[in-house]
Amino acid sequence: MGNEQKIIVLVDDQALNLTIGKNLLKDLYKVYTIPSAELMFSLLENVKPDLILLDVMMPDMSGYEAIKILKSNPEWSRIPVIFLTACSDEESELKGLSLGAIDYILKPFSAPLLRKRIENQLLADEHKKNLQIFNDNLSEMIRQKTDNVIFFQNAMLDLMADMAEFPDELFSGHAARVQRIMEILLDAIIAEGAYKDEIAGWDRYSCAKAAQFHDIGKIVVSDAILHKKGTLEEEEFTLVKNHVNAGLQMLVRLEGLADESPILNHAEQIVGGHHERWDGSGYPAGLKGLDIPLEGRLMAIADVYDALISERPYREAYCLEDARSVIERGSGTAFDPELVRLFGKCIERIEAVAKEDGSCIYPH
């Protein structure tokens, strides 16, 4: 235990007790003898002992009063205190223990008993400190492990979102851009105080990150249909629409492999709701108005806008002004009117996303 390094403070108003106690302990510990509680507090300003032997009955300040001060001070509260007393009644002992003392030693001292009591308490305190260090290290290890899991999860989400995008370079970056547009729209909602009840408890980062999942179900749609230059046949369009249900099924499987995930929860609402229309004419469920999850209503605007300003096999890209007009004309039919209003208020930031991304092709 390295007892020679341990510091014991012995507090007693009787000089004889201080002398006897120091002689019994000086070979094992570094001992400070203090004749009063007031002087003990002065010493504690400069010396931090491993244990305090505190007399109960002292004239100016009793041991009971002193331990109350010790335990109320964060710097001293963890120092173990053993009471020294000539009283052996149960009431006095119970009072001392209730105030935070860890043990009682009767005077006059029994040398073997005094040493053993101190040894046991110091050993117990050492174990407690080691356990605290272990717990602190364990907490840090858990935090680091959690950070690694989150990092890996985000990398997996990015990879899956990239897989869901069309392989043609004209379509690259779509998932990342709609995430940024979602972030801008979420900032606008928060700034305006809109839809407070719906966004209560939302994590902005998780919701925006989930935007990259919106078209994950297109993995099951053939490239021939996705890259078709002409108008889709009804049967082909039915296959395209099925990407919503396919995406939802994939998310359900992911949820089964992971604990509760805010990103996956938002992704489910985005995937299932981003092709619904405000007037109820969308798919897959034909939801209308506020029955469409807010995440889906947001994604509908972000997805359509970015798709319009991007070149597709079946059409040229829209200019920014025309794309903006399409969104505005869709207010109350395709899109949530309140969100279209907010879209207009932050259009400069949204257009900046398109201009900064070289993979987004649109006429200038």
Side-chain angles (χ1 to χ4, degrees), residues 1 3 6 8 10 19-29 31 51 53 82 84 102-106 108-124:
M1 284 204 318
N3 287 346
K6 299 293 184 181
I8 305 294
L10 172 58
T19 301
I20 294 173
K22 184 167 186 176
N23 288 336
L24 291 175
L25 301 174
K26 65 182 181 180
D27 293 337
L28 299 173
Y29 310 105
V31 182
L51 186 141
L53 297 172
I82 295 178
L84 305 175
I102 57 174
D103 204 352
Y104 253 84
I105 295 178
L106 292 176
F109 303 129
S110 162
L113 184 60
L114 176 65
R115 291 175 176 175
K116 195 62 181 177
R117 290 280 183 87
I118 293 174
E119 179 186 346
N120 287 345
Q121 295 301 337
L122 288 175
L123 182 62

Side-chain angles (χ1 to χ4, degrees), residues 156-157 159-165 175 210-221 243-251 254 264 267 271 274:
M156 181 191 70
L157 299 183
L159 177 61
M160 294 185 67
D162 289 342
M163 290 172 59
E165 287 195 29
Q212 296 197 50
F213 274 102
H214 72 285
D215 275 340
I216 191 172
K218 284 186 177 176
I219 293 175
V220 304
V221 183
H243 82 277
V244 173
N245 289 326
L248 290 172
Q249 290 174 8
M250 292 178 187
L251 292 176
L254 282 175
L264 292 179
V271 171
H274 76 290

Side-chain angles (χ1 to χ4, degrees), residues 187-197 199 338 341-342:
D187 287 343
I189 287 178
I190 294 169
E192 291 278 320
Y195 294 121
K196 286 184 178 180
D197 292 339
I199 68 172
E338 175 65 4
R341 183 185 71 82
L342 295 176

Side-chain angles (χ1 to χ4, degrees), residues 262-279:
I263 294 178
L264 292 179
N265 290 340
H266 285 300
E268 186 174 347
Q269 303 303 319
I270 286 172
V271 171
H274 76 290
H275 283 296
E276 300 289 357
R277 288 171 56 96
W278 186 258
D279 62 7

Side-chain angles (χ1 to χ4, degrees), residues 37 48 85 102 124 134 149-150 169 189-190 214 234 284 301 340 344:
K48 186 172 182 180
T85 181
I102 57 174
F134 174 80
V149 169
I150 292 173
E169 65 177 0
I189 287 178
I190 294 169
H214 72 285
E234 183 177 348
I301 293 176
V340 172

